[in-house]
Amino acid sequence: MKSKADIEQLLKDGHTVQTVINGYSMYPMLVPDRDSVILAPLQGYTPRRGDVVLYRRDGSILVLHRICKVRGDGVYMVGDNQTEIEGPLRQEQICGRLVAFIRKGKRVSVGNILYRAYALVWLWMRPIRHKVAVAVHAVKIFGKHSQ
């Protein structure tokens, strides 16, 4: 498995990188230790709402989150499992962009129409999505126990 520093350098050198994710900030779209992401370098890339990018927090860690706003003062990010918006981030903090993810051996492109719809709806639902996620989780648990 590649270290975070290796991933950042590979992207800067123009390579596409596949890595398994860890952490729950992008749940339910990405599940740690199950899903992997395919990240591409930024050549010619312009950040836009709904995209998922890898960025480095100032003096800190690499983070994979979704862009919720792009403004003149920077880019604003939020994890799919979060409601708090982070930003503004400078564009130079972004080091890679999600082009696909792999779940159970199946590759899903970010150009997939169902993925794009999910991204836009999930951003729109940001103020209430924690409550929705809790309700979905409860239904899943109830379904398992009633079988």
Side-chain angles (χ1 to χ4, degrees), residues 35-109:
D35 300 333
S36 60
V37 294
I38 300 172
L39 303 168
L42 298 174
Q43 290 95 339
Y45 172 71
T46 301
R48 63 183 188 164
R49 178 177 166 82
D51 289 352
V52 174
V53 296
L54 183 71
Y55 63 95
R56 182 166 293 281
R57 289 182 174 148
D58 280 332
S60 186
I61 62 172
L62 284 173
V63 179
L64 186 73
H65 279 172
R66 189 174 304 283
I67 296 172
C68 66
K69 295 182 233 178
V70 179
R71 293 192 174 158
D73 63 343
V75 180
Y76 292 78
M77 312 297 294
V78 66
D80 282 4
N81 195 26
Q82 299 174 326
T83 56
E84 295 296 317
I85 296 172
E86 179 179 0
L89 288 112
R90 299 175 314 281
Q91 191 160 341
E92 60 265 18
Q93 288 177 263
I94 300 172
C95 52
R97 61 188 174 90
L98 182 74
V99 293
F101 61 93
I102 298 174
R103 172 173 300 140
K104 299 179 183 176
K106 183 178 178 187
R107 180 184 169 118
V108 179
S109 167

Side-chain angles (χ1 to χ4, degrees), residues 8-19:
E8 191 171 14
Q9 189 59 53
L10 286 165
L11 289 165
K12 284 180 183 175
D13 291 344
H15 299 281
T16 298
V17 177
Q18 180 178 335
T19 188

Side-chain angles (χ1 to χ4, degrees), residues 1 25 39 42 86 115 123 138:
M1 187 162 147
S25 68
L39 303 168
L42 298 174
E86 179 179 0
Y115 168 82
L123 276 174

